[in-house]
Structure formats: C-alpha cells, structure tokens
C-alpha cells in the first residue's frame, strides 16, 4: 500500500455554513459542494489539487464543545501547509483580524500558527522548513516561541535572497 498524502477531513460542526464562511474569509477556501440549506459544505484550499480538502456537516447549535484531549479521545487538529514564511505571516494577520489566533510555535522543522474555528476546533497553519535545514532538530520535539520576521531574515540569508 502506498499512501501519498492526506486528501480531506470531515468535521461535525454546529453550523456548516458559518464554518465555511470562516474558512473562506480567513483562509481563502472555496465552496465546491453545498448540500440542502444548512446540511453540509465541501471546500477546497486555494492552491489544492484535491477535489475537496475539508467538509463540514451541521449537527446544530445545541451541540456541546468537543472534549477531545480533555475527557475523550479525538483528533487534536488539522495542519494546513503554506508555501512560504511570507504566506505564514499573511495568515497570521488574517487570524488576528478574525480573533482566531491561539498561539505560534517554532518546532524546528516547521513554523506553526494555531487557531480556533467558530466551534472552537483547533487547526494549524504551518510552513515546512526545507529538509536541508532540519539538522539535528529533525528528530526532536521542539516547541519554541515563533518569530516569523526573524525566520524570514534567517531563510532569506540561507537561500541567498
């Protein structure tokens, strides 16, 4: 068996349209399929070659918050990759404007922003450091504060820009 990557995720949310509007406004996702009013929405990321990358299914406003990781098993988050640190800085500004940014971490091999969607489900937006720069950090679980501007200066020098 040869898995080539993750194709899509499906999330249960209180209101699929509200969550889709958030993903569109903040991350630029486009609606591919929308079911009967309020039932589900399938979306594609701006530069994706997938049919869809995420789908949201409405379960209603009476749904309680996810207790995954606190009291139940469940998924922690989905990570979306951007092509550059400049793109990561742009996403940071969009997340801040939407009041959705939860945190930012330098993990050595990747630089990550953490955010919450309208239902409080966490997602990550990250930039993967080119493998030739991983060094010893490739096999370490690193969590440092992220300074995107410093990383842009560092990698501009590393790439000869």
């Amino acid at each position: 068996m040869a898995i080539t990557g993750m194709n899509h995720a499906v999330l249960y949310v209180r209101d699929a349209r509200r969550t889709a509007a958030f993903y569109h406004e903040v991350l630029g996702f486009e609606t591919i399929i929308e079911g009967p009013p309020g039932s589900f929405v399938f979306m594609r990321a701006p530069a994706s070659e997938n049919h869809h990358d995420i789908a949201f299914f409405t379960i209603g406003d009476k749904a309680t918050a996810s207790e995954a990781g606190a009291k139940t098993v469940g998924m922690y988050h989905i990570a979306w990759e951007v092509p550059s640190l400049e793109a990561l800085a742009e996403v940071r500004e969009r997340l801040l404007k939407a009041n959705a940014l939860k945190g930012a971490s330098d993990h050595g091999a990747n630089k990550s922003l953490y955010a919450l969607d309208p239902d409080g489900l966490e997602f990550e937006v990250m930039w993967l450091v080119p493998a030739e720069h991983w060094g010893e950090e490739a096999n370490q679980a690193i969590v440092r504060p992220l300074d995107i501007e410093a990383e842009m200066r560092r990698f501009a020098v590393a790439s000869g820009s």
Side-chain angles (χ1 to χ4, degrees):
M1 175 171 60
I3 294 173
T4 60
M6 192 183 104
N7 184 273
H8 67 271
V10 177
L11 303 178
Y12 290 116
V13 297
R14 290 182 184 91
D15 183 328
R17 284 186 175 176
R18 180 184 66 199
T19 302
F22 171 86
Y23 267 74
H24 174 71
E25 293 164 12
V26 177
L27 299 177
F29 281 57
E30 293 297 328
T31 296
I32 304 304
I33 301 171
E34 188 168 346
S39 59
F40 63 84
V41 179
F42 286 53
M43 301 188 85
R44 181 183 308 129
S48 176
E49 295 182 9
N50 291 332
H51 175 267
H52 63 280
D53 295 289
I54 195 159
F56 306 111
F57 282 78
T58 297
I59 61 171
D61 285 330
K62 292 182 182 179
T64 60
S66 172
E67 295 188 61
K71 292 186 177 181
T72 65
V73 297
M75 186 168 51
Y76 176 23
H77 66 255
I78 298 168
W80 304 106
E81 186 175 348
V82 294
S84 67
L85 282 163
E86 291 78 13
L88 192 64
E90 180 184 333
V91 170
R92 177 186 59 194
E93 295 310 309
R94 294 173 137 218
L95 292 170
L96 284 168
K97 184 177 177 184
N99 199 30
L101 186 64
K102 180 181 175 184
S105 296
D106 176 347
H107 295 298
N110 62 288
K111 313 305 176 188
S112 299
L113 303 173
Y114 295 91
L116 299 175
D117 76 6
D119 284 296
L121 299 175
E122 188 168 328
F123 63 92
E124 175 182 354
V125 180
M126 51 81 65
W127 176 68
L128 184 62
V129 173
E132 64 267 20
H133 297 285
W134 292 352
E136 293 179 12
E137 295 184 343
N139 299 311
Q140 298 176 16
I142 298 166
V143 181
R144 294 186 290 248
L146 176 60
D147 182 340
I148 295 176
E149 288 73 18
E151 294 298 326
M152 286 192 285
R153 290 189 298 274
R154 173 184 168 212
F155 284 99
V157 170
S159 64
S161 298

